Amino acid sequence: MSRKMFYGSNSFIGLEEAIEAVTADSDDDRAYDLAIIPPDPSVVTDEEEGSDEDMVTYTLPRDVPGNIEVLVHDEDTLLSDYDSSDEEPLASKRVRRQPNIEQRQQTPAWRKCLPSYTFGHQHTSEVQDKQNAIKEQLKDQNPVQIFEKILDEEVLQLILSNSILYANQNNIHSFQLDLPDLKKFIGILILSGYHKLPREALYWSLDEDVGVALVSRAMSRNKFREIKRYLHLVNNDEASNSRDKMFKIRSLADILMTKFNQWGVFHENISIDESMVKYYGHHPSKQFIRGKPVRFGYKNWVAASSTGYCYKFDLYCGKSLDSSDEPLGTRVVKSLLSKLDTDPKNHKVFFDNFFTSCNLLFDLRNLGYCATGTVRENRTKKCPLAAIKEMKKKERAAFDYSFDINNELLLVRWKDNSVCTIATNYDYFEPMGTVKRWCPEMRQKTDVRIPLLFENYNKGMGGVDELDQSISLYRIGIHGKKWWWVLFTYLLDMAVSNSWRLHVMSKDDPMDQLLFRRSLARYYLRQETLKRARPSSSLIEGLPQDGSSHYPRKLEKQLRCVICHARVRWECKKCLKTLCVEKSCFEKFHT
């Protein structure tokens, strides 16, 4: 029988004729489906043929009512969906071809069998080599030097130049800012993270219970407020050409991501999740998520390592103009992974049920990524797992699984304190591991069996939560009125957190994050300011000609200076005249 005859489908009158035609074909790479065509109404179909003995010895019936149609599958033809209750599916008897990386997703065929992948995670030494290179580079550097690998002069010049430009655009040409002052300003912000006071002005208070001498000696309160007022990160003249809602902060975000990735991706496990930045003001990108610890604020999509080192992030600005029909979670995962400059075979990706879907796992497998994530019930593509209500009635550690032989996806449902379902495109559920759980009957912790992919998920997921925790412990405590101020301080905290992660990785005896932040703050607040030509406010030069006892004394309330008429809290102890000390009015009056 020629091969041409079997291209597409052919119809036969009887079952034996159809089977003979199939067995006569010499192409082993083809798969066949036999379909029964319903007979005409005039044909009698309920008559039995043969004896009872013949019915026992034959594995297939001699004939069926109606015609038989044989469908021939080429290598590009999709497999059909078989009933998941079959113990030995026909698809398992076929010779399966190696899937092409460009292969389209097929209709799921769920089977209760051990997973078999044509693509899996490959353990290479590239990630470990990058870590060793970073350790060698940073092993002899102190916390400030490591921090300035990220917040280097390029980042500081971006802030410095745009702040001076913003002041000039507002017709304030007397504003001056240099790198030492900017570093002191950043040092005060870092210090406010672990030394919190209820008001900003209390850091410069002369009262012994709230004042911070290190801050008041480093920078005056007026200078700090002046820098904070004119601090800017972008040229406002370019705003008309941009539709980006995060235009004010985008330049700093992009350059910091470049600094975060200057060593490449040096962790094997990558977790993707959302991070909320608390904000109660007005902005079109502000989100409200009911039931979350941070209900109001900006949403930030983050790709971080399992230890909490941030590689990429994307500030969410609401619904985009992208015409893609893919869900938001799928677009976020693909976008963040596309920005990582790394080989997918060296990494494993983890995410939660907001992102996970069977389509996403299949697409990531085609891109070369091994991925695992918890999945919602309505995204399992009718996977025949035990119902959640039934799983709740079973004892702890009970689990059920099903494998899609067409798309090579494994779904496992496991009962712990609650029922959880995980989907993966590379992992297995065996060998089983053990975890400690509290047993009320025995009143002690006991060992509970846990599937392998759940154990790996717990190890790989949670990196974004680690990042959020390190930021929230010592979050910058000085607030501002600008909508992007919370994002600026959030990015600064993220830079400190990443620097601390590098310090921990490169040192045999690392310091904790509090001591790391204290080292940065104390170093920057001891910076020497460049001397500028301005009137001196020294009290020694302002002494009167007639002797002593002409010293300034602090007042309880503000009064007008007799020279410049500004509101001040100082007066001469002997003359009882209200005088401004900072503008040299005290010196002018007595000389």
Side-chain angles (χ1 to χ4, degrees), residues 195-367:
H195 194 301
K196 289 182 170 59
L197 292 176
R199 296 177 183 174
E200 175 187 305
L202 294 180
Y203 287 99
W204 289 267
S205 174
L206 298 180
D207 297 332
E208 61 275 4
D209 59 333
V210 292
V212 182
L214 181 63
V215 174
S216 58
R217 287 197 301 265
M219 179 179 290
S220 67
R221 182 189 61 186
N222 290 344
K223 181 63 177 177
F224 178 85
R225 289 180 172 176
E226 186 183 28
I227 296 176
K228 183 181 175 183
R229 178 180 181 182
Y230 297 113
L231 185 74
H232 227 64
L233 310 172
V234 71
N235 183 6
N236 283 346
D237 294 338
E238 301 175 359
S240 58
N241 301 326
S242 175
R243 294 184 178 181
D244 187 6
K245 296 178 183 178
M246 295 292 172
F247 173 76
K248 295 279 190 178
I249 200 75
R250 186 67 67 184
S251 58
L252 180 63
D254 292 342
I255 194 172
L256 282 181
M257 275 193 288
T258 303
K259 303 302 178 182
F260 294 163
N261 289 268
Q262 59 183 298
W263 298 280
V265 182
F266 48 91
H267 291 92
E268 182 181 29
N269 297 331
I270 305 296
S271 62
I272 297 177
D273 204 350
E274 63 181 20
S275 175
M276 291 294 292
V277 184
K278 187 184 297 184
Y279 178 68
Y280 294 102
H282 297 278
H283 193 268
S285 297
K286 188 182 75 171
Q287 303 290 313
F288 168 71
I289 305 178
R290 190 183 304 275
K292 290 287 187 177
V294 180
R295 294 182 300 159
F296 295 93
Y298 300 109
K299 182 183 289 188
N300 186 30
W301 309 112
V302 181
S305 70
S306 57
T307 60
Y309 185 90
C310 176
Y311 286 106
K312 292 292 182 180
F313 59 89
D314 184 14
L315 296 168
Y316 182 55
C317 299
K319 187 177 181 179
S320 63
L321 300 177
D322 188 8
S323 59
S324 175
D325 295 332
E326 293 180 329
L328 175 61
T330 300
R331 297 200 306 268
V332 169
V333 172
K334 290 183 178 179
S335 175
L336 290 175
L337 292 179
S338 64
K339 297 177 182 178
L340 294 177
D341 186 15
T342 184
D343 190 352
K345 68 181 181 181
N346 297 325
H347 307 284
K348 294 181 284 188
V349 185
F350 301 89
F351 32 76
D352 61 15
N353 58 19
F354 178 83
F355 307 92
T356 310
S357 66
C358 292
N359 295 336
L360 174 61
L361 294 175
F362 181 81
D363 293 342
L364 292 181
R365 183 169 67 87
N366 286 340
L367 294 174

